[in-house]
Amino acid sequence: MIIAVASDHGGFALKEKIKAFLRTREDIKIVDLGTNSEESVDYPIYGKACGEAVASGKADRGIVCCGTGIGISIAANKVKGIRCGLCTSVEMAELTRKHNNANMLALGGRTTDPDLAIEITKAWLDTEFEGGRHKRRTDMLDEMI
Ligand code: RB5
């Protein structure tokens, strides 16, 4: 599985920690779309780039980080075909896969403990979509943009 990762400066440190975790997984190849430092940058650029990598099929899924995870998830969700879930708990990560078939995960570098963020990432990677009634709803989402 190819995972695209991206962040702004507020999510940079967490993105690096997520990458270190992803490197421990033999089934995952990482594509890092930046940013590459804590110098201030604009999160819409990085959310859009990661969303486009997933929507185009260059990556199977994407993980984005900013200070709160909010701005970069909003940016990602503006790309057609993206369902990006901002998660602050393992339960949310499981549900955003089971119910929303989230192809992107957003995390807050300033709001979520890094160790919890890794647990959230594991749950999001390893939980399958349940389909059924949830597929009808995600199809409705995908028709919106
Ligand atoms: C950057 O200061 C901050 O606004 C950004 O990382 C994010 O939290 C926006 O939603």
Side-chain angles (χ1 to χ4, degrees):
M1 175 161 39
I2 299 174
I3 304 282
V5 297
S7 74
D8 74 351
H9 53 290
F12 172 71
L14 182 57
K15 171 170 70 73
E16 296 306 300
K17 188 166 171 92
I18 298 288
K19 278 167 54 188
F21 161 68
L22 294 176
R23 283 193 207 101
T24 69
R25 299 268 303 231
E26 288 182 1
D27 56 325
I28 287 174
K29 182 172 179 288
I30 304 166
V31 176
D32 188 348
L33 300 171
T35 187
N36 299 312
S37 76
E38 294 193 345
E39 185 179 335
S40 182
V41 293
D42 298 325
Y43 60 79
I45 293 169
Y46 295 90
K48 181 176 183 225
C50 198
E52 288 177 344
V54 174
S56 69
K58 286 179 187 155
D60 298 300
R61 293 208 222 160
I63 301 174
V64 284
C65 309
C66 67
T68 58
I70 297 172
I72 204 159
S73 67
I74 293 172
N77 276 315
K78 287 183 177 288
V79 178
K80 185 169 177 60
I82 295 304
R83 295 173 305 279
C84 180
L86 168 60
C87 296
T88 58
S89 70
V90 168
E91 183 184 19
M92 288 174 76
E94 289 170 351
L95 288 171
T96 204
R97 288 289 310 136
K98 286 181 181 175
H99 290 192
N100 312 124
N101 198 15
N103 50 10
M104 290 185 60
L105 170 67
L107 295 162
R110 294 174 180 158
T111 52
T112 299
D113 175 83
D115 293 330
L116 174 58
I118 297 299
E119 294 308 310
I120 289 170
T121 302
K122 281 182 195 165
W124 177 78
L125 285 171
D126 296 334
T127 304
E128 295 300 320
F129 181 44
E130 286 181 350
R133 68 187 186 281
H134 303 297
K135 173 79 164 64
R136 182 178 74 247
R137 294 162 185 164
T138 59
D139 285 347
M140 290 168 74
L141 289 176
D142 291 343
E143 282 169 14
M144 285 182 179
I145 52 169

